[in-house]
Amino acid sequence: LADRNYPEHINLIMPVLASFDEWSMNFLASMLAGMGPEIAYRLREELLNTTGSARVRIAAAEALRRIGDLAAPDVAVQVLELESDAELSASCLKILRDMGTPRHRPLLLGLVSSPVEVIRIHAMSALGAVGSKKDSFILRQGLDDSSAWVALQAARSMGQLNDFEMLEAIAASDHPRAAIARQILAERVHQ
C-alpha cells in the first residue's frame, strides 16, 4: 500500500500503523517518506494528534524530516510546546535542526537546560544549526553538563557556529571537557 504512486493510501495506512509497534522505527519512517511529499499534510496531522500513538507520531516526524517538508518546523514547535515525551521531542528537535530557522531559536534556548538528557542533546544540536555565534556562551555552559554526550554536542554546535576561538581556549585549559574541545578542533582539521 505504501507506494509513491498512490499517496491516497496514507489514509488506509495511518489508522493501523500503531499495530506495527514491533517494526523498526527507521523502516516505518522510510516507508512513509517513500510515499512522497503529497502525504506531508497527513503526517503533520498525525504529529499533532495528542491522542495518537507516540511511536506513530515519531515515525511521522521522522518521515516529515526525510521528506524535507517546510511546514514541519512550525508543527514541531507546537508539539514541543505541548508534549513531554522525550523521544517525540527529540524527533521534533531533529526537524528544527534540519529545517528550522533563527525564529525557532527562543524555544531552543529554553530546551538546552531541560532536565532530560536527550532533549538537551538535540536542543544543542538544533541551536548549532539555527543559532549564531552569540549563542556560543549558552553552548559553552553545555560543556559543564554532567553528561559527556551533552558536552560533546555543545562543543560540536560551537564548531558549527564557527566559534573556534572559544573551543581553542577550552582545549588549552584544564577544563574537565578540554579533551572534547580538542576532539572537535581535530575534526575540523580533518574535514
Side-chain angles (χ1 to χ4, degrees), residues 4 15 22 49-50 52 80-81 91-92 99-100 104 125 130 142 145-147 161 175:
R4 188 182 231 12
E22 300 301 315
N49 180 5
T50 57
L80 286 163
E81 289 173 341
S91 291
C92 289
M99 296 178 286
H104 299 118
S125 177
V130 305
D145 197 280
S146 60
S147 164
L161 296 177
H175 190 280

Side-chain angles (χ1 to χ4, degrees), residues 52-68:
S53 155
R55 276 186 57 83
V56 171
R57 294 175 74 195
I58 293 166
E62 289 296 321
L64 286 166
R65 185 174 64 84
R66 291 172 189 206
I67 289 170

Side-chain angles (χ1 to χ4, degrees), residues 145-175:
D145 197 280
S146 60
S147 164
W149 295 110
V150 173
L152 177 62
Q153 187 54 62
R156 280 201 173 119
S157 292
M158 289 170 68
Q160 247 184 307
L161 296 177
N162 294 315
D163 194 349
F164 296 108
E165 294 149 10
M166 189 178 292
L167 282 170
E168 288 168 355
I170 294 165
S173 73
D174 61 352
H175 190 280

Side-chain angles (χ1 to χ4, degrees), residues 1-3 9-18 31-32 35:
L1 287 175
D3 188 307
H9 287 173
I10 192 64
N11 294 318
L12 300 171
I13 294 169
M14 291 312 287
V16 298
L17 200 59
M31 177 188 74
L32 292 171
M35 293 182 73

